[in-house]
PDB file of all heavy atoms in Angstrom:
ATOM      1  N   GLY A 181      14.251  20.047   8.538  1.00 87.00           N
ATOM      2  CA  GLY A 181      13.318  20.101   7.499  1.00 87.00           C
ATOM      3  C   GLY A 181      12.923  18.765   6.914  1.00 87.00           C
ATOM      4  O   GLY A 181      11.832  18.562   6.299  1.00 87.00           O
ATOM      5  N   ALA A 182      13.742  17.775   7.173  1.00 91.00           N
ATOM      6  CA  ALA A 182      13.515  16.357   6.612  1.00 91.00           C
ATOM      7  C   ALA A 182      12.283  15.738   7.321  1.00 91.00           C
ATOM      8  O   ALA A 182      11.596  14.919   6.689  1.00 91.00           O
ATOM      9  CB  ALA A 182      14.691  15.498   6.918  1.00 91.00           C
ATOM     10  N   ILE A 183      11.987  16.179   8.486  1.00 90.00           N
ATOM     11  CA  ILE A 183      10.840  15.649   9.213  1.00 90.00           C
ATOM     12  C   ILE A 183       9.588  15.938   8.413  1.00 90.00           C
ATOM     13  O   ILE A 183       8.566  15.154   8.305  1.00 90.00           O
ATOM     14  CB  ILE A 183      10.732  16.234  10.596  1.00 90.00           C
ATOM     15  CG1 ILE A 183      11.927  15.824  11.419  1.00 90.00           C
ATOM     16  CG2 ILE A 183       9.433  15.714  11.309  1.00 90.00           C
ATOM     17  CD1 ILE A 183      11.968  16.455  12.787  1.00 90.00           C
ATOM     18  N   PHE A 184       9.509  17.087   7.898  1.00 91.00           N
ATOM     19  CA  PHE A 184       8.287  17.509   7.015  1.00 91.00           C
ATOM     20  C   PHE A 184       8.095  16.521   5.872  1.00 91.00           C
ATOM     21  O   PHE A 184       7.020  16.093   5.574  1.00 91.00           O
ATOM     22  CB  PHE A 184       8.459  18.948   6.643  1.00 91.00           C
ATOM     23  CG  PHE A 184       7.268  19.535   5.825  1.00 91.00           C
ATOM     24  CD1 PHE A 184       6.174  20.027   6.462  1.00 91.00           C
ATOM     25  CD2 PHE A 184       7.242  19.471   4.470  1.00 91.00           C
ATOM     26  CE1 PHE A 184       5.091  20.479   5.787  1.00 91.00           C
ATOM     27  CE2 PHE A 184       6.207  19.952   3.712  1.00 91.00           C
ATOM     28  CZ  PHE A 184       5.125  20.490   4.427  1.00 91.00           C
ATOM     29  N   TYR A 185       9.202  16.302   5.140  1.00 92.00           N
ATOM     30  CA  TYR A 185       9.088  15.501   3.927  1.00 92.00           C
ATOM     31  C   TYR A 185       9.038  14.029   4.240  1.00 92.00           C
ATOM     32  O   TYR A 185       8.745  13.207   3.326  1.00 92.00           O
ATOM     33  CB  TYR A 185      10.249  15.778   3.006  1.00 92.00           C
ATOM     34  CG  TYR A 185      10.240  17.252   2.526  1.00 92.00           C
ATOM     35  CD1 TYR A 185      11.010  18.201   3.081  1.00 92.00           C
ATOM     36  CD2 TYR A 185       9.365  17.645   1.385  1.00 92.00           C
ATOM     37  CE1 TYR A 185      10.933  19.566   2.672  1.00 92.00           C
ATOM     38  CE2 TYR A 185       9.333  18.919   1.011  1.00 92.00           C
ATOM     39  CZ  TYR A 185      10.107  19.829   1.604  1.00 92.00           C
ATOM     40  OH  TYR A 185      10.030  21.143   1.225  1.00 92.00           O
ATOM     41  N   ALA A 186       9.337  13.617   5.417  1.00 93.00           N
ATOM     42  CA  ALA A 186       9.340  12.167   5.746  1.00 93.00           C
ATOM     43  C   ALA A 186       7.858  11.636   5.706  1.00 93.00           C
ATOM     44  O   ALA A 186       7.712  10.453   5.639  1.00 93.00           O
ATOM     45  CB  ALA A 186       9.958  11.938   7.132  1.00 93.00           C
ATOM     46  N   SER A 187       6.932  12.548   5.814  1.00 93.00           N
ATOM     47  CA  SER A 187       5.570  12.017   5.810  1.00 93.00           C
ATOM     48  C   SER A 187       5.244  11.448   4.389  1.00 93.00           C
ATOM     49  O   SER A 187       4.520  10.428   4.371  1.00 93.00           O
ATOM     50  CB  SER A 187       4.592  13.203   6.075  1.00 93.00           C
ATOM     51  OG  SER A 187       4.867  14.354   5.190  1.00 93.00           O
ATOM     52  N   GLY A 188       5.758  12.027   3.415  1.00 92.00           N
ATOM     53  CA  GLY A 188       5.519  11.420   2.072  1.00 92.00           C
ATOM     54  C   GLY A 188       6.197  10.085   1.888  1.00 92.00           C
ATOM     55  O   GLY A 188       5.685   9.189   1.247  1.00 92.00           O
ATOM     56  N   LEU A 189       7.400   9.933   2.520  1.00 93.00           N
ATOM     57  CA  LEU A 189       8.099   8.622   2.429  1.00 93.00           C
ATOM     58  C   LEU A 189       7.346   7.547   3.173  1.00 93.00           C
ATOM     59  O   LEU A 189       7.222   6.485   2.654  1.00 93.00           O
ATOM     60  CB  LEU A 189       9.487   8.853   3.043  1.00 93.00           C
ATOM     61  CG  LEU A 189      10.412   7.727   2.949  1.00 93.00           C
ATOM     62  CD1 LEU A 189      10.892   7.521   1.540  1.00 93.00           C
ATOM     63  CD2 LEU A 189      11.683   7.901   3.853  1.00 93.00           C
ATOM     64  N   VAL A 190       6.812   7.886   4.351  1.00 93.00           N
ATOM     65  CA  VAL A 190       5.999   6.902   5.118  1.00 93.00           C
ATOM     66  C   VAL A 190       4.781   6.517   4.292  1.00 93.00           C
ATOM     67  O   VAL A 190       4.445   5.265   4.237  1.00 93.00           O
ATOM     68  CB  VAL A 190       5.580   7.513   6.436  1.00 93.00           C
ATOM     69  CG1 VAL A 190       4.659   6.584   7.232  1.00 93.00           C
ATOM     70  CG2 VAL A 190       6.923   7.726   7.366  1.00 93.00           C
ATOM     71  N   PHE A 191       4.067   7.477   3.703  1.00 94.00           N
ATOM     72  CA  PHE A 191       2.892   7.170   2.935  1.00 94.00           C
ATOM     73  C   PHE A 191       3.248   6.243   1.632  1.00 94.00           C
ATOM     74  O   PHE A 191       2.526   5.344   1.444  1.00 94.00           O
ATOM     75  CB  PHE A 191       2.240   8.409   2.479  1.00 94.00           C
ATOM     76  CG  PHE A 191       1.168   8.147   1.409  1.00 94.00           C
ATOM     77  CD1 PHE A 191      -0.070   7.740   1.935  1.00 94.00           C
ATOM     78  CD2 PHE A 191       1.309   8.301   0.127  1.00 94.00           C
ATOM     79  CE1 PHE A 191      -1.188   7.437   1.020  1.00 94.00           C
ATOM     80  CE2 PHE A 191       0.359   8.057  -0.749  1.00 94.00           C
ATOM     81  CZ  PHE A 191      -0.976   7.599  -0.349  1.00 94.00           C
ATOM     82  N   ALA A 192       4.297   6.637   1.040  1.00 94.00           N
ATOM     83  CA  ALA A 192       4.716   5.832  -0.195  1.00 94.00           C
ATOM     84  C   ALA A 192       4.960   4.429   0.134  1.00 94.00           C
ATOM     85  O   ALA A 192       4.463   3.509  -0.498  1.00 94.00           O
ATOM     86  CB  ALA A 192       5.868   6.547  -0.835  1.00 94.00           C
ATOM     87  N   VAL A 193       5.729   4.174   1.251  1.00 94.00           N
ATOM     88  CA  VAL A 193       6.066   2.776   1.648  1.00 94.00           C
ATOM     89  C   VAL A 193       4.855   2.078   2.109  1.00 94.00           C
ATOM     90  O   VAL A 193       4.552   0.916   1.623  1.00 94.00           O
ATOM     91  CB  VAL A 193       7.116   2.783   2.742  1.00 94.00           C
ATOM     92  CG1 VAL A 193       7.368   1.373   3.223  1.00 94.00           C
ATOM     93  CG2 VAL A 193       8.448   3.379   2.176  1.00 94.00           C
ATOM     94  N   SER A 194       3.997   2.734   2.931  1.00 93.00           N
ATOM     95  CA  SER A 194       2.825   2.051   3.418  1.00 93.00           C
ATOM     96  C   SER A 194       1.848   1.741   2.322  1.00 93.00           C
ATOM     97  O   SER A 194       1.217   0.689   2.266  1.00 93.00           O
ATOM     98  CB  SER A 194       2.165   3.001   4.501  1.00 93.00           C
ATOM     99  OG  SER A 194       3.076   3.253   5.545  1.00 93.00           O
ATOM    100  N   ALA A 195       1.647   2.692   1.398  1.00 92.00           N
ATOM    101  CA  ALA A 195       0.654   2.559   0.283  1.00 92.00           C
ATOM    102  C   ALA A 195       1.183   1.382  -0.618  1.00 92.00           C
ATOM    103  O   ALA A 195       0.337   0.602  -1.037  1.00 92.00           O
ATOM    104  CB  ALA A 195       0.571   3.817  -0.467  1.00 92.00           C
ATOM    105  N   ALA A 196       2.477   1.326  -0.936  1.00 93.00           N
ATOM    106  CA  ALA A 196       2.993   0.235  -1.738  1.00 93.00           C
ATOM    107  C   ALA A 196       2.760  -1.093  -1.129  1.00 93.00           C
ATOM    108  O   ALA A 196       2.316  -2.107  -1.773  1.00 93.00           O
ATOM    109  CB  ALA A 196       4.466   0.535  -1.955  1.00 93.00           C
ATOM    110  N   VAL A 197       2.930  -1.170   0.200  1.00 92.00           N
ATOM    111  CA  VAL A 197       2.634  -2.526   0.899  1.00 92.00           C
ATOM    112  C   VAL A 197       1.172  -2.890   0.768  1.00 92.00           C
ATOM    113  O   VAL A 197       0.814  -4.059   0.477  1.00 92.00           O
ATOM    114  CB  VAL A 197       3.148  -2.464   2.336  1.00 92.00           C
ATOM    115  CG1 VAL A 197       2.705  -3.643   3.092  1.00 92.00           C
ATOM    116  CG2 VAL A 197       4.631  -2.344   2.424  1.00 92.00           C
ATOM    117  N   LEU A 198       0.327  -1.944   1.066  1.00 91.00           N
ATOM    118  CA  LEU A 198      -1.111  -2.246   0.976  1.00 91.00           C
ATOM    119  C   LEU A 198      -1.600  -2.512  -0.498  1.00 91.00           C
ATOM    120  O   LEU A 198      -2.434  -3.487  -0.621  1.00 91.00           O
ATOM    121  CB  LEU A 198      -1.981  -0.968   1.489  1.00 91.00           C
ATOM    122  CG  LEU A 198      -1.733  -0.610   2.944  1.00 91.00           C
ATOM    123  CD1 LEU A 198      -2.477   0.551   3.221  1.00 91.00           C
ATOM    124  CD2 LEU A 198      -2.273  -1.819   3.850  1.00 91.00           C
ATOM    125  N   VAL A 199      -1.041  -1.855  -1.497  1.00 90.00           N
ATOM    126  CA  VAL A 199      -1.460  -2.132  -2.852  1.00 90.00           C
ATOM    127  C   VAL A 199      -0.849  -3.535  -3.268  1.00 90.00           C
ATOM    128  O   VAL A 199      -1.607  -4.376  -3.860  1.00 90.00           O
ATOM    129  CB  VAL A 199      -0.805  -1.032  -3.794  1.00 90.00           C
ATOM    130  CG1 VAL A 199      -1.023  -1.510  -5.209  1.00 90.00           C
ATOM    131  CG2 VAL A 199      -1.517   0.208  -3.572  1.00 90.00           C
ATOM    132  N   LEU A 200       0.319  -3.904  -2.848  1.00 90.00           N
ATOM    133  CA  LEU A 200       0.840  -5.217  -3.132  1.00 90.00           C
ATOM    134  C   LEU A 200       0.012  -6.264  -2.421  1.00 90.00           C
ATOM    135  O   LEU A 200      -0.165  -7.418  -2.999  1.00 90.00           O
ATOM    136  CB  LEU A 200       2.326  -5.360  -2.697  1.00 90.00           C
ATOM    137  CG  LEU A 200       3.303  -4.636  -3.617  1.00 90.00           C
ATOM    138  CD1 LEU A 200       4.693  -4.626  -2.937  1.00 90.00           C
ATOM    139  CD2 LEU A 200       3.368  -5.144  -4.957  1.00 90.00           C
ATOM    140  N   ARG A 201      -0.474  -5.957  -1.223  1.00 87.00           N
ATOM    141  CA  ARG A 201      -1.303  -6.962  -0.486  1.00 87.00           C
ATOM    142  C   ARG A 201      -2.596  -7.179  -1.251  1.00 87.00           C
ATOM    143  O   ARG A 201      -3.062  -8.378  -1.371  1.00 87.00           O
ATOM    144  CB  ARG A 201      -1.566  -6.477   0.859  1.00 87.00           C
ATOM    145  CG  ARG A 201      -2.575  -7.272   1.686  1.00 87.00           C
ATOM    146  CD  ARG A 201      -2.680  -6.722   3.154  1.00 87.00           C
ATOM    147  NE  ARG A 201      -3.856  -7.366   3.807  1.00 87.00           N
ATOM    148  CZ  ARG A 201      -5.085  -6.977   3.887  1.00 87.00           C
ATOM    149  NH1 ARG A 201      -5.333  -5.807   3.280  1.00 87.00           N
ATOM    150  NH2 ARG A 201      -5.991  -7.554   4.593  1.00 87.00           N
ATOM    151  N   ASP A 202      -3.230  -6.161  -1.729  1.00 85.00           N
ATOM    152  CA  ASP A 202      -4.398  -6.292  -2.526  1.00 85.00           C
ATOM    153  C   ASP A 202      -4.198  -7.077  -3.821  1.00 85.00           C
ATOM    154  O   ASP A 202      -4.998  -7.890  -4.191  1.00 85.00           O
ATOM    155  CB  ASP A 202      -4.990  -4.970  -2.824  1.00 85.00           C
ATOM    156  CG  ASP A 202      -5.689  -4.290  -1.643  1.00 85.00           C
ATOM    157  OD1 ASP A 202      -6.026  -4.985  -0.641  1.00 85.00           O
ATOM    158  OD2 ASP A 202      -5.868  -3.023  -1.691  1.00 85.00           O
ATOM    159  N   LEU A 203      -3.019  -6.847  -4.434  1.00 85.00           N
ATOM    160  CA  LEU A 203      -2.744  -7.570  -5.658  1.00 85.00           C
ATOM    161  C   LEU A 203      -2.556  -9.035  -5.334  1.00 85.00           C
ATOM    162  O   LEU A 203      -3.008  -9.931  -6.139  1.00 85.00           O
ATOM    163  CB  LEU A 203      -1.413  -6.996  -6.306  1.00 85.00           C
ATOM    164  CG  LEU A 203      -1.667  -5.745  -7.172  1.00 85.00           C
ATOM    165  CD1 LEU A 203      -0.239  -5.229  -7.581  1.00 85.00           C
ATOM    166  CD2 LEU A 203      -2.573  -5.961  -8.359  1.00 85.00           C
ATOM    167  N   CYS A 204      -1.889  -9.378  -4.241  1.00 82.00           N
ATOM    168  CA  CYS A 204      -1.648 -10.795  -3.858  1.00 82.00           C
ATOM    169  C   CYS A 204      -2.954 -11.446  -3.556  1.00 82.00           C
ATOM    170  O   CYS A 204      -3.197 -12.629  -3.973  1.00 82.00           O
ATOM    171  CB  CYS A 204      -0.739 -10.827  -2.677  1.00 82.00           C
ATOM    172  SG  CYS A 204       0.924 -10.386  -3.048  1.00 82.00           S
ATOM    173  N   LEU A 205      -3.944 -10.741  -2.921  1.00 80.00           N
ATOM    174  CA  LEU A 205      -5.219 -11.290  -2.584  1.00 80.00           C
ATOM    175  C   LEU A 205      -5.979 -11.599  -3.854  1.00 80.00           C
ATOM    176  O   LEU A 205      -6.740 -12.606  -4.049  1.00 80.00           O
ATOM    177  CB  LEU A 205      -6.014 -10.384  -1.684  1.00 80.00           C
ATOM    178  CG  LEU A 205      -5.420 -10.285  -0.256  1.00 80.00           C
ATOM    179  CD1 LEU A 205      -6.301  -9.215   0.502  1.00 80.00           C
ATOM    180  CD2 LEU A 205      -5.521 -11.608   0.475  1.00 80.00           C
ATOM    181  N   ALA A 206      -5.927 -10.658  -4.882  1.00 78.00           N
ATOM    182  CA  ALA A 206      -6.572 -10.760  -6.118  1.00 78.00           C
ATOM    183  C   ALA A 206      -6.001 -11.962  -6.881  1.00 78.00           C
ATOM    184  O   ALA A 206      -6.740 -12.808  -7.532  1.00 78.00           O
ATOM    185  CB  ALA A 206      -6.497  -9.559  -6.898  1.00 78.00           C
ATOM    186  N   LEU A 207      -4.676 -12.114  -6.958  1.00 78.00           N
ATOM    187  CA  LEU A 207      -4.061 -13.177  -7.711  1.00 78.00           C
ATOM    188  C   LEU A 207      -4.365 -14.619  -7.032  1.00 78.00           C
ATOM    189  O   LEU A 207      -4.458 -15.560  -7.758  1.00 78.00           O
ATOM    190  CB  LEU A 207      -2.529 -12.974  -7.695  1.00 78.00           C
ATOM    191  CG  LEU A 207      -2.062 -11.845  -8.627  1.00 78.00           C
ATOM    192  CD1 LEU A 207      -0.579 -11.644  -8.394  1.00 78.00           C
ATOM    193  CD2 LEU A 207      -2.380 -12.121 -10.094  1.00 78.00           C
ATOM    194  N   ALA A 208      -4.546 -14.544  -5.678  1.00 75.00           N
ATOM    195  CA  ALA A 208      -4.861 -15.839  -5.049  1.00 75.00           C
ATOM    196  C   ALA A 208      -6.302 -16.109  -5.047  1.00 75.00           C
ATOM    197  O   ALA A 208      -6.732 -17.174  -4.583  1.00 75.00           O
ATOM    198  CB  ALA A 208      -4.350 -15.720  -3.596  1.00 75.00           C
ATOM    199  N   GLY A 209      -7.132 -15.270  -5.635  1.00 72.00           N
ATOM    200  CA  GLY A 209      -8.521 -15.523  -5.742  1.00 72.00           C
ATOM    201  C   GLY A 209      -9.286 -15.339  -4.430  1.00 72.00           C
ATOM    202  O   GLY A 209     -10.437 -15.937  -4.226  1.00 72.00           O
ATOM    203  N   ARG A 210      -8.733 -14.488  -3.575  1.00 68.00           N
ATOM    204  CA  ARG A 210      -9.358 -14.256  -2.316  1.00 68.00           C
ATOM    205  C   ARG A 210     -10.323 -13.033  -2.259  1.00 68.00           C
ATOM    206  O   ARG A 210     -10.774 -12.718  -1.195  1.00 68.00           O
ATOM    207  CB  ARG A 210      -8.300 -14.154  -1.113  1.00 68.00           C
ATOM    208  CG  ARG A 210      -7.465 -15.396  -0.964  1.00 68.00           C
ATOM    209  CD  ARG A 210      -6.395 -15.220   0.052  1.00 68.00           C
ATOM    210  NE  ARG A 210      -5.641 -16.454   0.270  1.00 68.00           N
ATOM    211  CZ  ARG A 210      -5.991 -17.431   1.168  1.00 68.00           C
ATOM    212  NH1 ARG A 210      -7.034 -17.214   1.967  1.00 68.00           N
ATOM    213  NH2 ARG A 210      -5.277 -18.436   1.257  1.00 68.00           N
ATOM    214  N   LEU A 211     -10.496 -12.453  -3.362  1.00 68.00           N
ATOM    215  CA  LEU A 211     -11.412 -11.268  -3.495  1.00 68.00           C
ATOM    216  C   LEU A 211     -12.620 -11.616  -4.241  1.00 68.00           C
ATOM    217  O   LEU A 211     -12.528 -12.274  -5.325  1.00 68.00           O
ATOM    218  CB  LEU A 211     -10.672 -10.100  -4.145  1.00 68.00           C
ATOM    219  CG  LEU A 211      -9.406  -9.461  -3.434  1.00 68.00           C
ATOM    220  CD1 LEU A 211      -8.862  -8.343  -4.281  1.00 68.00           C
ATOM    221  CD2 LEU A 211      -9.820  -9.030  -2.014  1.00 68.00           C
ATOM    222  N   GLY A 212     -13.750 -11.282  -3.658  1.00 65.00           N
ATOM    223  CA  GLY A 212     -15.023 -11.533  -4.350  1.00 65.00           C
ATOM    224  C   GLY A 212     -15.165 -10.496  -5.440  1.00 65.00           C
ATOM    225  O   GLY A 212     -14.456  -9.528  -5.540  1.00 65.00           O
ATOM    226  N   GLU A 213     -16.208 -10.656  -6.320  1.00 60.00           N
ATOM    227  CA  GLU A 213     -16.398  -9.650  -7.355  1.00 60.00           C
ATOM    228  C   GLU A 213     -16.701  -8.280  -6.889  1.00 60.00           C
ATOM    229  O   GLU A 213     -16.296  -7.322  -7.468  1.00 60.00           O
ATOM    230  CB  GLU A 213     -17.604 -10.278  -8.208  1.00 60.00           C
ATOM    231  CG  GLU A 213     -17.789  -9.359  -9.518  1.00 60.00           C
ATOM    232  CD  GLU A 213     -18.812 -10.043 -10.466  1.00 60.00           C
ATOM    233  OE1 GLU A 213     -19.404 -11.137 -10.156  1.00 60.00           O
ATOM    234  OE2 GLU A 213     -19.209  -9.361 -11.491  1.00 60.00           O
ATOM    235  N   ALA A 214     -17.547  -8.203  -5.694  1.00 61.00           N
ATOM    236  CA  ALA A 214     -17.781  -6.886  -5.238  1.00 61.00           C
ATOM    237  C   ALA A 214     -16.510  -6.188  -4.625  1.00 61.00           C
ATOM    238  O   ALA A 214     -16.418  -4.976  -4.696  1.00 61.00           O
ATOM    239  CB  ALA A 214     -18.853  -7.064  -4.153  1.00 61.00           C
TER     240      ALA A 214
END
C-alpha cells in the first residue's frame, strides 16, 4: 500500500524543488514583471 502514498511524496519533493528554483530566479532578478 506504500506505492499508493508514494505519489504524494514524489509530488512534495518535486514541487519543493520547483518552488525553490522559482524563488532563486526571483532573488537573482531573472524574472520579468510579467
Side-chain angles (χ1 to χ4, degrees):
I183 299 175
F184 182 84
Y185 295 98
S187 58
L189 188 69
V190 172
F191 171 78
V193 174
S194 302
V197 171
L198 292 175
V199 170
L200 286 173
R201 173 175 173 267
D202 286 339
L203 279 176
C204 291
L205 291 175
L207 289 172
R210 295 178 180 270
L211 295 180
E213 185 173 358

